[in-house]
């Protein structure tokens, strides 16, 4: 389990084109624009629909082409207005930018688990690829960026490391992420090399081919939307002397124009709910080095949060979509909804909302579909996190009613 997933490669900053997929551009969807500009956007379409209705009553089927033409004109005006609104949003500073951070995600399972009827692969075949993140779309489809820890491989490689668990799935499982409105992944973890260097290279290539921004393991990632650049970097244990200096990576991302920098760490002990001294030392050093927020994974259960120097160290988010366990004992986890006020060359301190989730709505087994926790579970999970946290006594959580 201790092979190093962050083999130092030449760092390759990437630029991701934001605003695609399920995200409303500039924070407004088409219905918002129609409400905001009813005379400009609604008149042509409404008139065309009225003519269509009249034509039906009068039996004038020959008017259909004209009705369609006028509807198309209305659609074109709608798209033009959306583009103009997006440009206005891109030019105006400061801007509000929201990131959702999620935990350990394994798309696929092991050779042994694939023999079971309830394995991840069978659920994917039965439910479709849009199933797995469908319970979280009120979060993922309404933010500007979703970043998760991708723990596993997408490869056809058969030669694997000698270890207890080797996770893999086919290249097409990258579509699970895009359908789920996940734009970026960290791959610095102890399963990236489950199928050797070839498996890692295949995984990165398949993710990038799907339009996913990849960071971690010596690779820097940059996501850009509406003039805001988010830089991402990630690291995995073991850490030499219990320390990690990320200042050079932060500097590189700042020089690339990133106003926001997110540092991901795979660390701590599995199924241990209290964070270690090593985690604290590394997390605090990352904030001092210039990271705007630190997110941790690997324990597979929730750990506490530390408020530190106007930011937060999220020691462990727990699991998310996790194909490596058919019946999880601990089903609690959370998403971090982080909002930044962004200027042309920097951002203000992040505002954090903790969104408790459950790994499945089922009481037994799993369907690999996490859901937002109900009110009772949400309160319980939030208290569990705070009890394990540091310097969070004055923390007031954000509004969860929209989720």
């Amino acid at each position: 389990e201790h092979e190093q997933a962050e083999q130092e490669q030449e760092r390759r900053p990437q630029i991701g084109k934001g605003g695609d997929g399920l995200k409303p551009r500039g924070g407004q969807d088409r219905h918002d624009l129609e409400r905001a500009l009813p005379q400009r956007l609604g008149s042509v379409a409404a008139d065309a629909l009225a003519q269509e209705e009249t034509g039906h009553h009068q039996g004038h089927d020959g008017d259909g082409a004209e009705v369609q033409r006028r509807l198309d004109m209305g659609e074109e005006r709608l798209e033009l207005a959306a583009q103009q609104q997006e440009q206005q949003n891109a030019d105006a500073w400061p801007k509000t930018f929201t990131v959702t951070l999620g935990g350990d995600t394994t798309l696929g399972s092991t050779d042994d688990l694939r023999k079971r009827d309830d394995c991840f692969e069978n659920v994917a075949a039965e439910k479709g690829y849009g199933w797995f993140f469908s319970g979280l779309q009120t979060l993922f489809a309404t933010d500007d960026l979703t970043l998760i820890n991708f723990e596993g491989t997408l490869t056809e490689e058969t030669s694997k490391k000698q270890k207890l668990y080797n996770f893999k799935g086919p290249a097409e499982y990258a579509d699970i992420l895009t359908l789920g409105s996940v734009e970026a992944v960290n791959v610095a973890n102890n399963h990236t090399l489950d199928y050797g260097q070839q498996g890692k290279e295949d995984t990165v290539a398949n993710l990038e081919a799907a339009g996913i921004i990849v960071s971690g393991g010596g690779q820097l990632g940059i996501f850009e939307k509406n003039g805001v650049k988010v830089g991402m970097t990630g690291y995995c244990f073991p850490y030499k002397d219990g320390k990690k200096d990320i200042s050079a990576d932060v500097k590189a991302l700042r020089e690339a124009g990133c106003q926001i920098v997110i540092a991901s760490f795979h660390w701590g002990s599995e199924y241990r709910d209290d964070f270690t001294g090593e985690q604290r030392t590394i997390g605090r050093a990352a904030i001092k080095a210039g990271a705007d927020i630190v997110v941790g994974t690997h324990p597979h259960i929730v750990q506490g949060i530390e408020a530190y120097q106007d930011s937060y160290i999220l020691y462990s988010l727990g699991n998310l979509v996790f194909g490596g366990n058919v019946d999880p004992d601990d089903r609690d986890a959370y998403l971090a909804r982080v909002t930044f006020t962004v200027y042309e060359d920097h951002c203000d301190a992040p505002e954090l909302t903790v969104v408790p989730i459950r790994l499945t709505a089922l009481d037994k087994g799993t369907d690999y579909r996490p859901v937002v926790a109900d009110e009772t579970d949400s309160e319980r999970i939030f208290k569990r996190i705070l009890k394990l946290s540091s310097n969070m006594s004055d923390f007031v959580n954000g509004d969860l009613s929209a989720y």
Side-chain angles (χ1 to χ4, degrees):
E1 291 295 321
H2 284 270
E3 72 273 7
Q4 180 65 311
E6 55 165 321
Q7 294 183 350
E8 289 300 327
Q9 303 172 351
E10 180 182 357
R11 290 180 170 82
R12 304 186 288 116
Q14 326 169 18
I15 302 297
K17 296 181 179 179
D20 296 328
L22 301 175
K23 305 274 195 252
R25 293 178 178 266
Q28 288 186 298
D29 61 19
R30 182 166 296 164
H31 301 295
D32 292 332
L33 289 168
E34 286 178 341
R35 288 192 292 270
L37 302 169
Q39 293 181 345
R40 291 182 59 189
L41 305 180
S43 59
V44 173
D47 186 35
L49 288 170
Q51 287 194 24
E52 183 181 29
E53 183 68 19
T54 301
H56 281 310
H57 285 307
Q58 296 177 354
H60 294 167
D61 294 335
D63 292 341
E66 176 63 16
V67 170
Q68 185 60 51
R69 185 185 71 82
R70 293 177 67 83
L71 283 170
D72 290 342
M73 288 174 59
E75 184 73 11
E76 290 172 3
R77 292 187 184 185
L78 185 63
E79 293 295 338
L80 178 60
Q83 293 172 9
Q84 292 173 340
Q85 182 65 46
E86 181 179 3
Q87 186 60 46
Q88 290 176 6
N89 290 342
D91 293 339
W93 299 95
K95 302 172 185 178
T96 299
F97 196 95
T98 300
V99 180
T100 306
L101 302 170
D104 294 319
T105 297
T106 299
L107 305 183
S109 59
T110 66
D111 290 342
D112 287 339
L113 288 177
R114 276 187 286 275
K115 300 173 185 177
R116 296 175 57 108
D117 292 338
D118 55 357
C119 70
F120 182 92
E121 289 79 1
N122 285 345
V123 174
E126 178 185 353
K127 300 285 190 180
Y129 293 174
W131 166 256
F132 299 100
F133 287 104
S134 61
L136 302 175
Q137 284 306 292
T138 53
L139 289 139
F140 290 5
T142 60
D143 60 16
D144 296 294
L145 169 64
T146 302
L147 168 66
I148 57 104
N149 176 54
F150 189 84
E151 189 153 24
T153 61
L154 299 179
T155 183
E156 297 301 322
E157 179 63 44
T158 57
S159 177
K160 59 185 178 180
K161 295 278 188 177
Q162 293 300 313
K163 53 187 300 189
L164 188 58
Y165 302 111
N166 300 78
F167 297 131
K168 80 170 181 177
E172 63 194 39
Y173 278 6
D175 293 342
I176 295 172
L177 300 175
T178 56
L179 288 169
S181 198
V182 175
E183 291 84 9
V185 301
N186 165 64
V187 295
N189 57 67
N190 59 307
H191 287 283
T192 302
L193 291 170
D194 280 1
Y195 285 82
Q197 187 62 29
Q198 185 60 55
K200 177 181 179 179
E201 292 175 4
D202 291 345
T203 301
V204 172
N206 289 326
L207 290 167
E208 290 180 342
I212 304 295
I213 305 300
V214 177
S215 62
Q219 180 166 324
L220 305 180
I222 298 176
F223 176 86
E224 183 176 6
K225 179 180 178 182
N226 289 340
V228 176
K229 289 185 177 182
V230 182
M232 291 161 283
T233 182
Y235 313 90
C236 180
F237 63 83
Y239 298 101
K240 185 177 180 180
D241 299 324
K243 299 177 181 179
K244 185 64 182 178
D245 180 7
I246 71 167
S247 56
D249 290 339
V250 174
K251 181 181 179 182
L253 291 169
R254 296 297 186 196
E255 289 177 348
C258 296
Q259 300 101 321
I260 301 170
V261 172
I262 301 171
S264 297
F265 291 92
H266 212 61
W267 58 8
S269 300
E270 289 184 333
Y271 306 106
R272 175 175 170 174
D273 58 10
D274 56 328
F275 55 85
T276 65
E278 179 181 88
Q279 287 173 269
R280 169 171 272 179
T281 297
I282 293 172
R284 288 183 172 185
I287 297 293
K288 291 177 181 177
D292 292 300
I293 194 161
V294 170
V295 54
T297 53
H298 178 62
H300 296 298
I301 61 174
V302 298
Q303 291 183 337
I305 300 168
E306 182 175 7
Y308 185 71
Q309 292 191 355
D310 294 326
S311 187
Y312 298 97
I313 304 169
L314 314 171
Y315 283 107
S316 176
L317 302 172
N319 284 344
L320 192 55
V321 174
F322 197 76
N325 192 336
V326 298
D327 191 16
D329 292 328
D330 192 330
R331 296 162 185 254
D332 293 346
Y334 76 96
L335 301 172
R337 186 86 160 180
V338 187
T339 301
F340 297 90
T341 298
V342 184
Y343 302 84
E344 291 184 77
D345 60 355
H346 71 284
C347 68
D348 285 343
E351 298 178 11
L352 171 66
T353 298
V354 174
V355 184
I357 64 172
R358 296 278 285 167
L359 300 185
T360 173
L362 303 178
D363 293 326
K364 294 182 179 180
T366 184
D367 54 9
Y368 309 100
R369 178 181 180 267
V371 295
V372 177
D374 62 27
E375 185 174 355
T376 300
D377 279 334
S378 180
E379 183 178 355
R380 176 184 56 78
I381 296 169
F382 183 68
K383 288 181 177 179
R384 173 182 176 180
I385 296 168
L386 283 189
K387 186 176 180 180
L388 299 167
S389 297
S390 178
N391 301 326
M392 293 284 286
S393 58
D394 296 330
F395 178 76
V396 177
N397 204 18
D399 183 15
L400 300 179
S401 61
Y403 313 128

mmCIF file with all atom_site columns, all heavy atoms in Angstrom, residues 108-127:
data_model
loop_
_atom_site.group_PDB
_atom_site.id
_atom_site.type_symbol
_atom_site.label_atom_id
_atom_site.label_alt_id
_atom_site.label_comp_id
_atom_site.label_asym_id
_atom_site.label_entity_id
_atom_site.label_seq_id
_atom_site.pdbx_PDB_ins_code
_atom_site.Cartn_x
_atom_site.Cartn_y
_atom_site.Cartn_z
_atom_site.occupancy
_atom_site.B_iso_or_equiv
_atom_site.pdbx_formal_charge
_atom_site.auth_seq_id
_atom_site.auth_comp_id
_atom_site.auth_asym_id
_atom_site.auth_atom_id
_atom_site.pdbx_PDB_model_num
ATOM 1   N N   . GLY A 1 108 ? -15.246 1.191   -10.591 1.00 0.00 ? 108 GLY A N   1
ATOM 2   C CA  . GLY A 1 108 ? -14.795 -0.158  -10.896 1.00 0.00 ? 108 GLY A CA  1
ATOM 3   C C   . GLY A 1 108 ? -14.534 -0.896  -9.597  1.00 0.00 ? 108 GLY A C   1
ATOM 4   O O   . GLY A 1 108 ? -14.752 -0.368  -8.509  1.00 0.00 ? 108 GLY A O   1
ATOM 5   N N   . SER A 1 109 ? -14.063 -2.115  -9.710  1.00 0.00 ? 109 SER A N   1
ATOM 6   C CA  . SER A 1 109 ? -13.838 -2.905  -8.498  1.00 0.00 ? 109 SER A CA  1
ATOM 7   C C   . SER A 1 109 ? -12.610 -3.787  -8.686  1.00 0.00 ? 109 SER A C   1
ATOM 8   O O   . SER A 1 109 ? -11.729 -3.470  -9.492  1.00 0.00 ? 109 SER A O   1
ATOM 9   C CB  . SER A 1 109 ? -15.082 -3.743  -8.171  1.00 0.00 ? 109 SER A CB  1
ATOM 10  O OG  . SER A 1 109 ? -15.417 -4.621  -9.231  1.00 0.00 ? 109 SER A OG  1
ATOM 11  N N   . THR A 1 110 ? -12.538 -4.872  -7.939  1.00 0.00 ? 110 THR A N   1
ATOM 12  C CA  . THR A 1 110 ? -11.410 -5.798  -8.021  1.00 0.00 ? 110 THR A CA  1
ATOM 13  C C   . THR A 1 110 ? -11.816 -7.053  -8.796  1.00 0.00 ? 110 THR A C   1
ATOM 14  O O   . THR A 1 110 ? -12.998 -7.296  -9.046  1.00 0.00 ? 110 THR A O   1
ATOM 15  C CB  . THR A 1 110 ? -10.956 -6.206  -6.614  1.00 0.00 ? 110 THR A CB  1
ATOM 16  O OG1 . THR A 1 110 ? -12.003 -6.971  -5.999  1.00 0.00 ? 110 THR A OG1 1
ATOM 17  C CG2 . THR A 1 110 ? -10.628 -4.993  -5.758  1.00 0.00 ? 110 THR A CG2 1
ATOM 18  N N   . ASP A 1 111 ? -10.836 -7.867  -9.140  1.00 0.00 ? 111 ASP A N   1
ATOM 19  C CA  . ASP A 1 111 ? -11.135 -9.119  -9.852  1.00 0.00 ? 111 ASP A CA  1
ATOM 20  C C   . ASP A 1 111 ? -12.089 -9.991  -9.044  1.00 0.00 ? 111 ASP A C   1
ATOM 21  O O   . ASP A 1 111 ? -13.009 -10.617 -9.607  1.00 0.00 ? 111 ASP A O   1
ATOM 22  C CB  . ASP A 1 111 ? -9.843  -9.887  -10.133 1.00 0.00 ? 111 ASP A CB  1
ATOM 23  C CG  . ASP A 1 111 ? -8.971  -9.206  -11.178 1.00 0.00 ? 111 ASP A CG  1
ATOM 24  O OD1 . ASP A 1 111 ? -9.498  -8.350  -11.921 1.00 0.00 ? 111 ASP A OD1 1
ATOM 25  O OD2 . ASP A 1 111 ? -7.769  -9.519  -11.237 1.00 0.00 ? 111 ASP A OD2 1
ATOM 26  N N   . ASP A 1 112 ? -11.900 -10.048 -7.734  1.00 0.00 ? 112 ASP A N   1
ATOM 27  C CA  . ASP A 1 112 ? -12.777 -10.868 -6.897  1.00 0.00 ? 112 ASP A CA  1
ATOM 28  C C   . ASP A 1 112 ? -14.185 -10.289 -6.811  1.00 0.00 ? 112 ASP A C   1
ATOM 29  O O   . ASP A 1 112 ? -15.174 -11.030 -6.914  1.00 0.00 ? 112 ASP A O   1
ATOM 30  C CB  . ASP A 1 112 ? -12.183 -11.003 -5.490  1.00 0.00 ? 112 ASP A CB  1
ATOM 31  C CG  . ASP A 1 112 ? -10.973 -11.926 -5.457  1.00 0.00 ? 112 ASP A CG  1
ATOM 32  O OD1 . ASP A 1 112 ? -10.826 -12.751 -6.378  1.00 0.00 ? 112 ASP A OD1 1
ATOM 33  O OD2 . ASP A 1 112 ? -10.166 -11.807 -4.508  1.00 0.00 ? 112 ASP A OD2 1
ATOM 34  N N   . LEU A 1 113 ? -14.279 -8.967  -6.620  1.00 0.00 ? 113 LEU A N   1
ATOM 35  C CA  . LEU A 1 113 ? -15.604 -8.356  -6.489  1.00 0.00 ? 113 LEU A CA  1
ATOM 36  C C   . LEU A 1 113 ? -16.410 -8.456  -7.775  1.00 0.00 ? 113 LEU A C   1
ATOM 37  O O   . LEU A 1 113 ? -17.653 -8.537  -7.731  1.00 0.00 ? 113 LEU A O   1
ATOM 38  C CB  . LEU A 1 113 ? -15.464 -6.890  -6.071  1.00 0.00 ? 113 LEU A CB  1
ATOM 39  C CG  . LEU A 1 113 ? -15.021 -6.627  -4.629  1.00 0.00 ? 113 LEU A CG  1
ATOM 40  C CD1 . LEU A 1 113 ? -14.858 -5.128  -4.382  1.00 0.00 ? 113 LEU A CD1 1
ATOM 41  C CD2 . LEU A 1 113 ? -16.025 -7.208  -3.636  1.00 0.00 ? 113 LEU A CD2 1
ATOM 42  N N   . ARG A 1 114 ? -15.744 -8.457  -8.914  1.00 0.00 ? 114 ARG A N   1
ATOM 43  C CA  . ARG A 1 114 ? -16.476 -8.536  -10.184 1.00 0.00 ? 114 ARG A CA  1
ATOM 44  C C   . ARG A 1 114 ? -17.196 -9.865  -10.368 1.00 0.00 ? 114 ARG A C   1
ATOM 45  O O   . ARG A 1 114 ? -18.044 -10.008 -11.252 1.00 0.00 ? 114 ARG A O   1
ATOM 46  C CB  . ARG A 1 114 ? -15.521 -8.286  -11.362 1.00 0.00 ? 114 ARG A CB  1
ATOM 47  C CG  . ARG A 1 114 ? -15.311 -6.806  -11.645 1.00 0.00 ? 114 ARG A CG  1
ATOM 48  C CD  . ARG A 1 114 ? -14.500 -6.596  -12.920 1.00 0.00 ? 114 ARG A CD  1
ATOM 49  N NE  . ARG A 1 114 ? -13.092 -6.905  -12.732 1.00 0.00 ? 114 ARG A NE  1
ATOM 50  C CZ  . ARG A 1 114 ? -12.203 -6.046  -12.245 1.00 0.00 ? 114 ARG A CZ  1
ATOM 51  N NH1 . ARG A 1 114 ? -12.591 -4.833  -11.885 1.00 0.00 ? 114 ARG A NH1 1
ATOM 52  N NH2 . ARG A 1 114 ? -10.934 -6.398  -12.121 1.00 0.00 ? 114 ARG A NH2 1
ATOM 53  N N   . LYS A 1 115 ? -16.907 -10.837 -9.540  1.00 0.00 ? 115 LYS A N   1
ATOM 54  C CA  . LYS A 1 115 ? -17.601 -12.127 -9.599  1.00 0.00 ? 115 LYS A CA  1
ATOM 55  C C   . LYS A 1 115 ? -18.960 -12.081 -8.891  1.00 0.00 ? 115 LYS A C   1
ATOM 56  O O   . LYS A 1 115 ? -19.770 -12.999 -9.041  1.00 0.00 ? 115 LYS A O   1
ATOM 57  C CB  . LYS A 1 115 ? -16.733 -13.209 -8.952  1.00 0.00 ? 115 LYS A CB  1
ATOM 58  C CG  . LYS A 1 115 ? -15.381 -13.398 -9.622  1.00 0.00 ? 115 LYS A CG  1
ATOM 59  C CD  . LYS A 1 115 ? -14.505 -14.360 -8.829  1.00 0.00 ? 115 LYS A CD  1
ATOM 60  C CE  . LYS A 1 115 ? -13.105 -14.477 -9.426  1.00 0.00 ? 115 LYS A CE  1
ATOM 61  N NZ  . LYS A 1 115 ? -12.234 -15.365 -8.607  1.00 0.00 ? 115 LYS A NZ  1
ATOM 62  N N   . ARG A 1 116 ? -19.216 -11.010 -8.137  1.00 0.00 ? 116 ARG A N   1
ATOM 63  C CA  . ARG A 1 116 ? -20.452 -10.891 -7.358  1.00 0.00 ? 116 ARG A CA  1
ATOM 64  C C   . ARG A 1 116 ? -21.558 -10.249 -8.182  1.00 0.00 ? 116 ARG A C   1
ATOM 65  O O   . ARG A 1 116 ? -21.315 -9.408  -9.052  1.00 0.00 ? 116 ARG A O   1
ATOM 66  C CB  . ARG A 1 116 ? -20.196 -10.056 -6.105  1.00 0.00 ? 116 ARG A CB  1
ATOM 67  C CG  . ARG A 1 116 ? -19.218 -10.656 -5.109  1.00 0.00 ? 116 ARG A CG  1
ATOM 68  C CD  . ARG A 1 116 ? -18.954 -9.688  -3.979  1.00 0.00 ? 116 ARG A CD  1
ATOM 69  N NE  . ARG A 1 116 ? -20.185 -9.299  -3.297  1.00 0.00 ? 116 ARG A NE  1
ATOM 70  C CZ  . ARG A 1 116 ? -20.533 -9.696  -2.067  1.00 0.00 ? 116 ARG A CZ  1
ATOM 71  N NH1 . ARG A 1 116 ? -19.742 -10.492 -1.372  1.00 0.00 ? 116 ARG A NH1 1
ATOM 72  N NH2 . ARG A 1 116 ? -21.665 -9.276  -1.524  1.00 0.00 ? 116 ARG A NH2 1
ATOM 73  N N   . ASP A 1 117 ? -22.810 -10.597 -7.864  1.00 0.00 ? 117 ASP A N   1
ATOM 74  C CA  . ASP A 1 117 ? -23.953 -10.005 -8.554  1.00 0.00 ? 117 ASP A CA  1
ATOM 75  C C   . ASP A 1 117 ? -24.112 -8.520  -8.219  1.00 0.00 ? 117 ASP A C   1
ATOM 76  O O   . ASP A 1 117 ? -24.659 -7.759  -9.023  1.00 0.00 ? 117 ASP A O   1
ATOM 77  C CB  . ASP A 1 117 ? -25.246 -10.746 -8.187  1.00 0.00 ? 117 ASP A CB  1
ATOM 78  C CG  . ASP A 1 117 ? -25.275 -12.161 -8.737  1.00 0.00 ? 117 ASP A CG  1
ATOM 79  O OD1 . ASP A 1 117 ? -24.547 -12.438 -9.718  1.00 0.00 ? 117 ASP A OD1 1
ATOM 80  O OD2 . ASP A 1 117 ? -26.027 -12.993 -8.184  1.00 0.00 ? 117 ASP A OD2 1
ATOM 81  N N   . ASP A 1 118 ? -23.663 -8.131  -7.013  1.00 0.00 ? 118 ASP A N   1
ATOM 82  C CA  . ASP A 1 118 ? -23.871 -6.752  -6.575  1.00 0.00 ? 118 ASP A CA  1
ATOM 83  C C   . ASP A 1 118 ? -22.642 -5.872  -6.813  1.00 0.00 ? 118 ASP A C   1
ATOM 84  O O   . ASP A 1 118 ? -22.495 -4.819  -6.196  1.00 0.00 ? 118 ASP A O   1
ATOM 85  C CB  . ASP A 1 118 ? -24.252 -6.703  -5.094  1.00 0.00 ? 118 ASP A CB  1
ATOM 86  C CG  . ASP A 1 118 ? -23.242 -7.420  -4.197  1.00 0.00 ? 118 ASP A CG  1
ATOM 87  O OD1 . ASP A 1 118 ? -22.277 -8.010  -4.729  1.00 0.00 ? 118 ASP A OD1 1
ATOM 88  O OD2 . ASP A 1 118 ? -23.435 -7.393  -2.957  1.00 0.00 ? 118 ASP A OD2 1
ATOM 89  N N   . CYS A 1 119 ? -21.767 -6.270  -7.730  1.00 0.00 ? 119 CYS A N   1
ATOM 90  C CA  . CYS A 1 119 ? -20.566 -5.491  -7.983  1.00 0.00 ? 119 CYS A CA  1
ATOM 91  C C   . CYS A 1 119 ? -20.886 -4.206  -8.735  1.00 0.00 ? 119 CYS A C   1
ATOM 92  O O   . CYS A 1 119 ? -21.949 -4.046  -9.338  1.00 0.00 ? 119 CYS A O   1
ATOM 93  C CB  . CYS A 1 119 ? -19.548 -6.313  -8.774  1.00 0.00 ? 119 CYS A CB  1
ATOM 94  S SG  . CYS A 1 119 ? -20.003 -6.648  -10.483 1.00 0.00 ? 119 CYS A SG  1
ATOM 95  N N   . PHE A 1 120 ? -19.953 -3.296  -8.688  1.00 0.00 ? 120 PHE A N   1
ATOM 96  C CA  . PHE A 1 120 ? -20.116 -1.986  -9.329  1.00 0.00 ? 120 PHE A CA  1
ATOM 97  C C   . PHE A 1 120 ? -20.424 -2.138  -10.818 1.00 0.00 ? 120 PHE A C   1
ATOM 98  O O   . PHE A 1 120 ? -21.291 -1.441  -11.364 1.00 0.00 ? 120 PHE A O   1
ATOM 99  C CB  . PHE A 1 120 ? -18.837 -1.168  -9.134  1.00 0.00 ? 120 PHE A CB  1
ATOM 100 C CG  . PHE A 1 120 ? -18.903 0.216   -9.699  1.00 0.00 ? 120 PHE A CG  1
ATOM 101 C CD1 . PHE A 1 120 ? -19.312 1.288   -8.916  1.00 0.00 ? 120 PHE A CD1 1
ATOM 102 C CD2 . PHE A 1 120 ? -18.531 0.464   -11.015 1.00 0.00 ? 120 PHE A CD2 1
ATOM 103 C CE1 . PHE A 1 120 ? -19.375 2.569   -9.438  1.00 0.00 ? 120 PHE A CE1 1
ATOM 104 C CE2 . PHE A 1 120 ? -18.587 1.748   -11.546 1.00 0.00 ? 120 PHE A CE2 1
ATOM 105 C CZ  . PHE A 1 120 ? -19.014 2.799   -10.748 1.00 0.00 ? 120 PHE A CZ  1
ATOM 106 N N   . GLU A 1 121 ? -19.720 -3.032  -11.488 1.00 0.00 ? 121 GLU A N   1
ATOM 107 C CA  . GLU A 1 121 ? -19.874 -3.193  -12.929 1.00 0.00 ? 121 GLU A CA  1
ATOM 108 C C   . GLU A 1 121 ? -21.291 -3.605  -13.307 1.00 0.00 ? 121 GLU A C   1
ATOM 109 O O   . GLU A 1 121 ? -21.836 -3.126  -14.316 1.00 0.00 ? 121 GLU A O   1
ATOM 110 C CB  . GLU A 1 121 ? -18.859 -4.221  -13.446 1.00 0.00 ? 121 GLU A CB  1
ATOM 111 C CG  . GLU A 1 121 ? -17.431 -3.736  -13.446 1.00 0.00 ? 121 GLU A CG  1
ATOM 112 C CD  . GLU A 1 121 ? -16.747 -3.779  -12.088 1.00 0.00 ? 121 GLU A CD  1
ATOM 113 O OE1 . GLU A 1 121 ? -17.386 -4.217  -11.093 1.00 0.00 ? 121 GLU A OE1 1
ATOM 114 O OE2 . GLU A 1 121 ? -15.571 -3.387  -12.007 1.00 0.00 ? 121 GLU A OE2 1
ATOM 115 N N   . ASN A 1 122 ? -21.907 -4.468  -12.525 1.00 0.00 ? 122 ASN A N   1
ATOM 116 C CA  . ASN A 1 122 ? -23.274 -4.895  -12.824 1.00 0.00 ? 122 ASN A CA  1
ATOM 117 C C   . ASN A 1 122 ? -24.272 -3.768  -12.614 1.00 0.00 ? 122 ASN A C   1
ATOM 118 O O   . ASN A 1 122 ? -25.247 -3.628  -13.370 1.00 0.00 ? 122 ASN A O   1
ATOM 119 C CB  . ASN A 1 122 ? -23.648 -6.094  -11.959 1.00 0.00 ? 122 ASN A CB  1
ATOM 120 C CG  . ASN A 1 122 ? -22.989 -7.376  -12.435 1.00 0.00 ? 122 ASN A CG  1
ATOM 121 O OD1 . ASN A 1 122 ? -22.471 -7.454  -13.544 1.00 0.00 ? 122 ASN A OD1 1
ATOM 122 N ND2 . ASN A 1 122 ? -22.975 -8.403  -11.585 1.00 0.00 ? 122 ASN A ND2 1
ATOM 123 N N   . VAL A 1 123 ? -24.053 -2.955  -11.578 1.00 0.00 ? 123 VAL A N   1
ATOM 124 C CA  . VAL A 1 123 ? -24.928 -1.808  -11.362 1.00 0.00 ? 123 VAL A CA  1
ATOM 125 C C   . VAL A 1 123 ? -24.784 -0.803  -12.499 1.00 0.00 ? 123 VAL A C   1
ATOM 126 O O   . VAL A 1 123 ? -25.768 -0.228  -12.964 1.00 0.00 ? 123 VAL A O   1
ATOM 127 C CB  . VAL A 1 123 ? -24.626 -1.144  -9.998  1.00 0.00 ? 123 VAL A CB  1
ATOM 128 C CG1 . VAL A 1 123 ? -25.436 0.142   -9.828  1.00 0.00 ? 123 VAL A CG1 1
ATOM 129 C CG2 . VAL A 1 123 ? -24.939 -2.114  -8.864  1.00 0.00 ? 123 VAL A CG2 1
ATOM 130 N N   . ALA A 1 124 ? -23.561 -0.592  -12.971 1.00 0.00 ? 124 ALA A N   1
ATOM 131 C CA  . ALA A 1 124 ? -23.339 0.325   -14.095 1.00 0.00 ? 124 ALA A CA  1
ATOM 132 C C   . ALA A 1 124 ? -24.068 -0.158  -15.338 1.00 0.00 ? 124 ALA A C   1
ATOM 133 O O   . ALA A 1 124 ? -24.671 0.638   -16.065 1.00 0.00 ? 124 ALA A O   1
ATOM 134 C CB  . ALA A 1 124 ? -21.846 0.454   -14.368 1.00 0.00 ? 124 ALA A CB  1
ATOM 135 N N   . ALA A 1 125 ? -24.021 -1.467  -15.582 1.00 0.00 ? 125 ALA A N   1
ATOM 136 C CA  . ALA A 1 125 ? -24.695 -2.028  -16.756 1.00 0.00 ? 125 ALA A CA  1
ATOM 137 C C   . ALA A 1 125 ? -26.205 -1.918  -16.635 1.00 0.00 ? 125 ALA A C   1
ATOM 138 O O   . ALA A 1 125 ? -26.909 -1.673  -17.627 1.00 0.00 ? 125 ALA A O   1
ATOM 139 C CB  . ALA A 1 125 ? -24.274 -3.481  -16.943 1.00 0.00 ? 125 ALA A CB  1
ATOM 140 N N   . GLU A 1 126 ? -26.717 -2.078  -15.434 1.00 0.00 ? 126 GLU A N   1
ATOM 141 C CA  . GLU A 1 126 ? -28.170 -2.050  -15.221 1.00 0.00 ? 126 GLU A CA  1
ATOM 142 C C   . GLU A 1 126 ? -28.728 -0.631  -15.152 1.00 0.00 ? 126 GLU A C   1
ATOM 143 O O   . GLU A 1 126 ? -29.755 -0.328  -15.773 1.00 0.00 ? 126 GLU A O   1
ATOM 144 C CB  . GLU A 1 126 ? -28.514 -2.782  -13.928 1.00 0.00 ? 126 GLU A CB  1
ATOM 145 C CG  . GLU A 1 126 ? -30.000 -2.757  -13.591 1.00 0.00 ? 126 GLU A CG  1
ATOM 146 C CD  . GLU A 1 126 ? -30.316 -3.387  -12.249 1.00 0.00 ? 126 GLU A CD  1
ATOM 147 O OE1 . GLU A 1 126 ? -29.400 -3.967  -11.633 1.00 0.00 ? 126 GLU A OE1 1
ATOM 148 O OE2 . GLU A 1 126 ? -31.481 -3.284  -11.809 1.00 0.00 ? 126 GLU A OE2 1
ATOM 149 N N   . LYS A 1 127 ? -28.052 0.235   -14.408 1.00 0.00 ? 127 LYS A N   1
ATOM 150 C CA  . LYS A 1 127 ? -28.587 1.572   -14.139 1.00 0.00 ? 127 LYS A CA  1
ATOM 151 C C   . LYS A 1 127 ? -28.120 2.627   -15.140 1.00 0.00 ? 127 LYS A C   1
ATOM 152 O O   . LYS A 1 127 ? -28.766 3.673   -15.282 1.00 0.00 ? 127 LYS A O   1
ATOM 153 C CB  . LYS A 1 127 ? -28.177 2.022   -12.735 1.00 0.00 ? 127 LYS A CB  1
ATOM 154 C CG  . LYS A 1 127 ? -28.671 1.135   -11.604 1.00 0.00 ? 127 LYS A CG  1
ATOM 155 C CD  . LYS A 1 127 ? -30.139 1.341   -11.341 1.00 0.00 ? 127 LYS A CD  1
ATOM 156 C CE  . LYS A 1 127 ? -30.566 0.634   -10.056 1.00 0.00 ? 127 LYS A CE  1
ATOM 157 N NZ  . LYS A 1 127 ? -32.022 0.817   -9.777  1.00 0.00 ? 127 LYS A NZ  1
#
